[in-house]
Amino acid sequence: MVRIDKKANRLYVLDTNVLIHDPAALYHFEEHDVVIPMTVLEELDKHKNGMREIARTARQISRTLSDLTAHVTPQEIQQGIPIPRVTGDPAGRLRFLCYPDLAPLESLENSPDNRILAETCRLRDERPDASVTLVTKDINLRVKAAALNVPVEDYLNDKAFDDLDAMIEGAKVYADAGRDGRSLWESLDVEVMVERTDGHTFYHLEGCIPEDWHVGMLVSDSDNGAEFEAIVRSHGPSRATLQLLVNYRHHGGVWGVHAHDSRQNFALNLLMDPTIDFLTLAGSAGTGKTFMTLAAALQQTLDGKRFERIVFTRAPIPMGEDIGFLPGTEEEKMSPWMGAFHDNMDNLLRDEREGSSSWNDGATRQLIGSRVQIRSPTFMRGRTLNDTFLIIDEAQNFTPKQLKSLVTRAGRNTKIVCLGNVGQIDTPYLTANTCGMAAVVERFRDWPHAGHITLKSVERSRLALAAEELL
């Protein structure tokens, strides 16, 4: 039986799902001690075989634990292994919890969750001088722990922002500036110098720059009939540079697609901007995220020849019951998940006069199909995508680690666009502030070659708009 010494003030007992969710969780408890029960090691051992993401993660955790225990004696393991830290701050210790004579909890079956609970209860009883806390992402286990008077917490270190905050919208719309008789520029205490270079108009501002501005965001004087729409190119406490946007409401638009408001116009500008390498489009269903992205991708691939191919991928997470294995090639297996892609291609290639879509024509499908690839994220690991317009749909269903493995596929001349709605998450243990989309929006916030916008106007129908508001 392993005894925990009485030097630690806080002991955090980690559940298996915490390590699976974040393999680096061991290093995120500062100077406090981390305890891993033997039940957790047994569960990791069961998950280690196979090619699924959970198996790769389990093997990664096992390698981490192996590295930490490689050059220590059994006696040092009993006393706790110092957890290395990058900074010089005090480090906690890693401890393993093993009770050969563990008695199961009364009236509860002998399941892994209940064994972890029993181990935590026994540790709590043995260490009245320390604060013993169970950390798990399993809601039911947290409820059972609370019922047994065991301190329990969710794993919160992976949150991109606090619950009281919200994901940035990527826009600052001064729609109410005219109510008190002041225009957008009168509401800003700045001096403006206008410069026109290579067909672009820049506004150089000096003075009191708003703190909530950031690089790559939209500044507009109205949501709809805006007279001024610009992107923030540089930002500081006393200086900023804005670049005037192209108006895609009129003329040819992008592949025949026109913007209806400032946010959609900003999205089309970011999609067509060669200096933006990474873009995230958020918004509820029907705001035109996929429609505008496909239009910009086709414009720059087929007409502009900027990219050689379009790669479309998404997380194959079912909203209801899984339909089982699917036959065919990789593209055929992904086809049931690509309803959004096919629906938008129908609309983009529709002849308004005849009321039919050339997407149904075999020659059109073959022509565009040679440039458009539908790929599963499962087989993207290890690839390098050059001259590619990569579209990641339903990005809110990816974990930050999974989305990182996709974004790092970017090679030379590659643009990545993530589409998603953090209000519709189907992946277990992910929330609006811990999903991969929330993470990339927050991390790339100040990178000059990234952009983000949250779309708001629903373009589908009054029924879709009412459903988004009422349900």
Side-chain angles (χ1 to χ4, degrees), residues 3-8 11 33 79 93 95 127 129:
R3 297 284 183 178
I4 304 296
D5 64 34
K6 299 190 180 290
K7 294 180 181 179
L11 302 174
D33 287 7
Q79 296 173 351
R93 291 179 177 269
R95 304 174 184 275
R127 291 298 311 276
D129 62 312

Side-chain angles (χ1 to χ4, degrees), residues 278-289:
F278 183 70
L279 172 61
T280 49
L281 296 183
S284 57
T287 49
K289 303 184 296 293

